[in-house]
Amino acid sequence: MRAVLDEVRFLAFDVFGTVVDWRSSIARAAEPFLTGHGIEVDPLVFADEWRSRYQPSMEAVRTGVRPWVPLERLNRESLETVLARHGVDFGAVTGDELAELNRAWTRLDPWPDSVVGLTRLQRRFPIGPLSNGSIAGMLALARFGGLPWNVILGAEIAHNYKPMPQTYLRSVEAVGLRPDQVAMVAAHNADLRAARAVGLRTVFVARPLEFGPGQTADLTAEDDWDLVTGSITEVADLLGC
């Protein structure tokens, strides 16, 4: 454990991609819907297309173009946008079907090392998501995947999305700590860059298959993060848990 992490009293986790495998899980959930409605697209491609709307959908909130809305609303709007691109007849799709498919974001499988690694870390540190997901969504996802959070932080506390500074700072404030007493754990260099900019410590976890075998971004650490690891269990090893 590096000396710079000696004062850390809370571990905050990015979730989508770092803790859970959204791509395979969304593809699995989408396959019967796509087949049932005759939508000829590979489920993994569909998952990628849906996810590609993630950052653009949040940007309108970040910039104040639209008021705060939780991620579930944005994901539903993005789903309809992607389906429209594939020529879906919305008269043949029920609202209940769309709602059920949108709930796939609360049924994402943890990476194989996630639950055991989080469980080990939680013996020594309080832990929780600092995610763009809503509190309700993170709660449902935790119950689905057995994620042992102590508290849920992130976008809904700040009413803004990462990487806006207040998303990190209001989460830190909510647990009664200074920024340097919180370590952000993420598989995305941009997330860690934004966290470091407001004083948080940083832990990189490589997830080279988050976007599938053709992934080109975030394959390696792009900065001198406080810890660089290949799994959450390795984080636990390095932190003596």
Side-chain angles (χ1 to χ4, degrees), residues 25 45 96 111 120 128 205 238:
S25 303
V45 172
D96 286 346
W111 294 109
R120 287 173 56 190
V205 178
L238 293 172

Side-chain angles (χ1 to χ4, degrees), residues 18-20 109-119 147-148 207 232-233:
T18 301
V19 176
V20 297
D109 295 333
W111 294 109
D113 58 277
S114 291
V115 174
V116 63
L118 292 173
T119 300
L147 307 175
R207 296 297 190 195
I232 296 177
T233 49

